[in-house]
Amino acid sequence: MRFFILFSLSLIAVHAQEIRRTPLILSQGGTPEKPAVFDGKGMIIDLGIDITDKVWVKNGDLWTTQSPIPEHPPVADEQRAGLFIDEVPVRISRDRVAEKNSGEAGKIIYTAPESLKPGQMAWTTDGALYFRWPKEKAAGSGRIIRPPTKLESGVVIACSNITVRNIIARHAANDGFNIHGHRIGLRLENVKAFSNGDEGISAHETVQMDVFDSEIAWNGSSAGGVADVGESVTTYTNCELHHNVNAAFFLDGKQHRLTNCLIHHQNQDVLVRGDAVVEQSGMVWRKE
């Protein structure tokens, strides 16, 4: 009987977890003395659309849609991922040599199907989408998920003096957590940014933000899982970063502090650009 009661309570907890299909925009902050608090209590913000059941022309690990997907037209921006296979980002790829040789300014030529590397995607001239399955997934072994049509982020923080905690943001076309403008007194606690097209977390302009006990993984940006730029001032404490494209941290802001973070399954740990000041202590980078 005791097992049944515990099992039933567990089911209730699972069903009670909120899954949101639209971006969360936080615009009501507090004061430095009394910050506002948004506790998602495990809320999942999932902007992905499952297109596994589309009609695919399959040639080994190279799959092509039989016809264009109007909701997912060709995207010029190759900085980010345009698809996900379950959690794994699939990057947009263009043929830069062919574009240059065309002699036409602004010409967009995608990488030909036969030249795609595993984990890359592109579009045909008539708008059909094609991709090569990433090495982490055997062909046909995972769900094919596209991000939303618009360049949306999962969570947008558009205010100052706020604590945001216990939220999972995934499958956004842009960032998992996106912050622009002059925002100060921001604190993220126990958030997870998984499988977003661009960065997991990205602070811009003069944002001042502290991030604690969070996980950033499988994000598709060519910069890193975290990209804090402009004149931003940020800290990350007790965070875990893994399986992001390129670096774990891409730091091009004003000043940053990284403390007791675990990094694994990354090409690079911390990439510093420009004259950003970055302090590190207690960092662990496992080079599996």
Side-chain angles (χ1 to χ4, degrees), residues 192-213:
K192 299 182 186 299
F194 294 157
S195 304
N196 296 287
D198 209 13
E199 286 89 42
I201 299 176
S202 189
H204 305 77
E205 287 88 48
T206 54
V207 168
Q208 297 177 23
M209 176 178 66
D210 300 311
V211 182
F212 296 87
D213 305 313

Side-chain angles (χ1 to χ4, degrees), residues 1-10:
M1 178 61 73
R2 183 173 180 270
F3 172 79
F4 176 77
I5 293 173
L6 290 175
F7 182 71
S8 299
L9 290 174
S10 176

Side-chain angles (χ1 to χ4, degrees), residues 90-113:
V90 178
R91 295 289 307 284
I92 299 166
S93 180
R94 287 165 56 181
D95 189 335
R96 294 299 191 177
V97 174
E99 290 176 352
K100 182 178 180 180
N101 292 339
S102 73
E104 184 179 339
K107 179 71 172 179
I108 297 174
I109 300 175
Y110 293 104
T111 301

Side-chain angles (χ1 to χ4, degrees), residues 57 66 85 87 109 129 132 200 205 222 228 255 258 263:
V57 178
Q66 193 172 60
I85 307 302
E87 75 283 5
I109 300 175
L129 181 155
R132 195 172 295 281
E205 287 88 48
S222 59
D228 292 344
Q255 187 171 354
L258 311 177
I263 298 170

Side-chain angles (χ1 to χ4, degrees), residues 70-260:
E71 300 83 10
H72 199 23
V75 174
D77 181 10
E78 63 176 353
Q79 174 180 316
R80 57 193 173 92
L83 280 180
F84 305 94
I85 307 302
D86 291 333
E87 75 283 5
V88 181
V90 178
R91 295 289 307 284
I92 299 166
S93 180
R94 287 165 56 181
D95 189 335
R96 294 299 191 177
V97 174
E99 290 176 352
K100 182 178 180 180
N101 292 339
S102 73
E104 184 179 339
K107 179 71 172 179
I108 297 174
I109 300 175
Y110 293 104
T111 301
E114 63 273 13
S115 299
L116 277 187
K117 297 177 181 178
Q120 292 183 339
M121 61 165 290
W123 286 267
T124 65
T125 53
D126 67 358
L129 181 155
Y130 57 91
F131 75 96
R132 195 172 295 281
W133 283 77
K135 61 182 182 299
E136 297 91 340
K137 302 283 183 178
S141 66
R143 295 177 306 144
I144 305 170
I145 299 169
R146 71 167 179 86
T149 304
K150 296 180 180 179
L151 189 59
E152 296 175 316
S153 295
V155 178
V156 175
I157 302 177
C159 60
S160 293
N161 301 309
I162 187 171
T163 296
V164 180
R165 58 172 67 115
N166 301 323
I167 295 177
I168 300 170
R170 66 191 185 199
H171 296 141
N174 194 34
D175 304 328
F177 293 80
N178 176 279
I179 311 97
H180 274 273
H182 182 60
R183 312 296 181 189
I184 63 175
L186 305 185
R187 183 181 175 101
L188 304 184
E189 299 176 352
N190 190 36
V191 302
K192 299 182 186 299
F194 294 157
S195 304
N196 296 287
D198 209 13
E199 286 89 42
I201 299 176
S202 189
H204 305 77
E205 287 88 48
T206 54
V207 168
Q208 297 177 23
M209 176 178 66
D210 300 311
V211 182
F212 296 87
D213 305 313
S214 295
E215 186 176 1
I216 301 101
W218 298 110
N219 296 288
S221 170
S222 59
V226 166
D228 292 344
V229 298
E231 295 294 311
S232 61
V233 176
T234 60
T235 72
Y236 290 81
T237 304
N238 297 330
C239 294
E240 181 179 359
L241 293 87
H242 59 93
H243 292 98
N244 299 287
V245 174
N246 200 23
F249 290 96
F250 177 90
L251 302 173
D252 184 33
K254 185 176 181 180
Q255 187 171 354
H256 311 280
R257 186 171 68 249
L258 311 177
T259 306
N260 298 336

